[in-house]
Amino acid sequence: MPRPPSKRAKPAGPSKDEDRSSSESDAEDGEELQTVQADFAFFDPKPSDFHGVRLLLKTYLDSKPWDLTGFVDLILAQTTVGTVVKLADEEEEEEGQGTGGEKTSAGGNDDDDLFGLISVLNLGRYAEHRCIKDLKEYLLAVCSDKDTKRQLKSLLEEKASSVGLLVCRRFVNFPYELVPKLYDALFDEVSWATEDEPTQELQDSFRFKHYLLLVRMLERKTPAKHKAKNSKDDDDEPIIYPKLEDEIFNELSSWSFTFPIRSEQSPQQEMKNYKEMGLVMAVKAEAIPKFRKKLEALVSEQ
């Protein structure tokens, strides 16, 4: 199987970020929002990304005290499968020209410019690490349905060696058109790792049969008893997925469950009728090709 293209040779591409500091009234008066052109690039994780990755994962287990540092270390140590997204540096892009298919972990700005990350960790391979033990304990604690907990426990224990914990976190200003490329990079690297890792044990550790995801969603609060009959709130979606791909994952999941979480930030006015929930999903690896097609189609419609 051919090695995937270098992340350096495959820049994420330009994206226009709108400066939304202008008031709505300014926009109504015909003033254009300021547009900033930004180039993003995909990089291998490296130790200097620690603080940026830690910031992205700060609320991964809500407010539970756990070994977050150890979790970040595992993600950064796995450089063959995993990607961080940063603003591209012009000088480094020039230096990276002509690298061909060679994968590189060099380059990139400091972690203050880190906008997103994606990785997948084998739950069996890292089972003895404190952070993974903390994660398993947390997931079992927040699962209230008896039958679902049985299936979850099976993936966390006897089937763990073929289960990948898929972690994708990014800031709200991450360009949505780059999301399919981010997942393509991950799943291409997983396929590559099953043949190109230096030992049979490592190759087998990427032969996932299931992916487990822990994400967040917004759920519509129970309507008030005396809500006006023609209230605009009636048109609100019952569920909102902050990360558009999570709706596809949920559609394709073998099972899923939600649980309440503590939101540290006050909801925006337009989100006041929603409560933040945790969502755990189990997705069979055989469903990933369908996921990739659906995600590409969804982003093309935006």
Side-chain angles (χ1 to χ4, degrees), residues 43-73:
F43 298 90
D44 294 319
K46 62 181 188 296
S48 63
D49 296 323
F50 179 86
H51 294 293
V53 171
R54 197 179 195 283
L55 182 61
L56 282 168
L57 294 170
K58 182 181 178 182
T59 59
Y60 188 66
L61 293 193
D62 197 16
S63 58
K64 174 183 170 62
W66 71 300
D67 185 20
L68 174 56
T69 296
F71 192 60
V72 174
D73 286 341

Side-chain angles (χ1 to χ4, degrees), residues 8 14 27 95 187 208:
R8 169 56 68 188
E95 292 173 2
F187 293 125
F208 300 116

